[in-house]
Amino acid sequence: MRRLSLSSAGLLLLMFPLLASAQAVQRQEGRAFAADGGALLYRETHWLQGPPEALSRLVLYRCADGRPFARKWMTPQGSPQTPDFALEDGRDGYQEGVRGNGAARTVYVRATSDAKPVSRALEVPAGAVVDAGFDAAVRRHWSDLLEGQPVAFQFLLPSRQRLVPLKLQRTAALTWKGQPAQQLQMKLDAWFGFAVPAVTLIYASADQRLLQFTGTGNVRDHKGRYPQVRVEFPSPPVAASAAELATARGQALVKTCDS
C-alpha cells in the first residue's frame, strides 16, 4: 500500500470552472428515505455537465434541513461506465475515490480525517462499472434488459478496494408516480465471503432516467454504517447556472446534521 496524494481533488476543483463555462449545466434533486420506516435521511443535489458519453457530475449530500455534509466529484475517464470520482464526508473526514488512466486505476480510502489514506492499484477491465457509471451501463444494455436478458459486469467497491461480479436483470414493467417505468434488480453474481444485499432500481421507460434506488446507500450514517435507503428522483434535471455550480463546489461541509 502507498499513501495517496490528495492533490487530485484540488485538480478536479480547478477543472470544474472550465467545464461549467464550456458546457450547459443541469441540476437534479433527490431524497433519501430510510428503507424500513420512510423517514427522510438526507437529500442529494446533482449538477450534470456534458453529453452522456462524457458526463461530469457534482453531488452535494445534504442533511434533511438542507445543509451539505458530503460532496462527490465525478469526471470522465475512458468509458462512460468507469469515471474517476472523489467523495469526501465533512462529518468525519472519510474519503474514497478512483483515479487513473485507462484500465490502470488507483482506488483509495481514508477512514477519518486523522487516518492515513490507503490506496491500491487496480486493473479495471472493459465493461466494468465504477460508481454512477452504472447509469451508462443501463443505457448501453437497455434493449437486452427489456428482452429479459441478464447483464453481468464487474462493479468496483471502493470501501473494499476490489471488483465484484454483479448481475442486472429486468424484473417488471410498472407505473411509477404516473409514468411508465421498468424495474431492475442487481445482485451479487458469486459468493465472496461477504454479503451484498440486492438492489432494486426503477428507470423511466421513455428516457432511461433513474427514478428510484432501493438498497445499500453510498454515504454512511453517524455510526459509520451504510444504511438501507430508498432514494427518489421524482423530477428530471432542470437548467442551472455556472454560478450555482461554483457555489456548490466551494460550499463548506458541516460536521454534523444535528441541529
Side-chain angles (χ1 to χ4, degrees):
M1 298 293 184
R2 56 191 177 87
R3 293 190 180 184
L4 164 74
S5 170
L6 298 181
S7 60
S8 57
L11 180 59
L12 287 173
L13 280 170
L14 293 173
M15 289 172 60
F16 263 86
L18 299 176
L19 291 168
S21 62
Q23 299 175 341
V25 180
Q26 291 186 306
R27 186 186 70 251
Q28 185 175 29
E29 302 290 339
R31 296 176 296 172
F33 301 91
D36 56 356
L40 178 63
L41 299 179
Y42 58 88
R43 303 173 186 271
E44 298 183 9
T45 304
H46 296 236
W47 282 267
L48 312 171
Q49 305 172 97
E53 65 273 12
L55 184 69
S56 296
R57 183 189 303 256
L58 171 66
V59 184
L60 275 186
Y61 298 92
R62 302 176 180 270
C63 308
D65 62 11
R67 293 174 299 143
F69 67 86
R71 180 166 26 231
K72 179 170 66 176
W73 299 272
M74 188 186 84
T75 55
Q77 180 57 252
S79 164
Q81 296 182 190
T82 57
D84 278 0
F85 81 93
L87 170 70
E88 179 179 8
D89 193 322
R91 295 170 298 175
D92 58 6
Y94 177 85
Q95 293 182 347
E96 68 176 33
V98 176
R99 57 186 174 86
N101 294 306
R105 313 294 279 278
T106 298
V107 56
Y108 64 86
V109 175
R110 186 181 75 176
T112 62
S113 58
D114 57 357
K116 293 182 179 180
V118 177
S119 65
R120 179 187 179 189
L122 198 65
E123 192 79 9
V124 177
V129 173
V130 174
D131 198 68
F134 181 82
D135 275 344
V138 169
R139 288 191 297 271
R140 177 184 176 188
H141 297 287
W142 187 252
S143 297
D144 292 337
L145 291 167
L146 291 187
E147 293 175 1
Q149 300 179 28
V151 175
F153 55 89
Q154 299 285 315
F155 187 84
L156 179 64
L157 289 180
S159 60
R160 292 186 176 269
Q161 299 191 317
R162 69 181 303 172
L163 292 152
V164 297
L166 295 180
K167 182 171 68 175
L168 179 67
Q169 191 162 18
R170 175 182 178 271
T171 55
L174 47 80
T175 299
W176 190 88
K177 298 186 184 297
Q179 58 185 308
Q182 303 295 327
Q183 179 175 283
L184 312 177
Q185 186 181 68
M186 181 175 65
K187 59 184 178 180
L188 194 65
D189 201 25
W191 177 247
F192 269 80
F194 58 87
V196 177
V199 170
T200 300
L201 306 116
I202 299 177
Y203 276 81
S205 297
D207 59 3
Q208 297 89 61
R209 178 173 65 86
L210 178 63
L211 302 172
Q212 180 175 296
F213 168 102
T214 305
T216 305
N218 68 337
V219 292
R220 304 183 303 169
D221 61 20
H222 66 284
K223 295 183 179 179
R225 301 174 301 191
Y226 291 94
Q228 297 299 299
V229 298
R230 185 183 78 257
V231 185
E232 297 182 355
F233 298 92
S235 301
V238 297
S241 68
E244 286 183 84
L245 177 59
T247 298
R249 188 182 65 248
Q251 197 167 359
L253 303 177
V254 300
K255 294 186 177 299
T256 177
C257 281
D258 297 332
S259 301

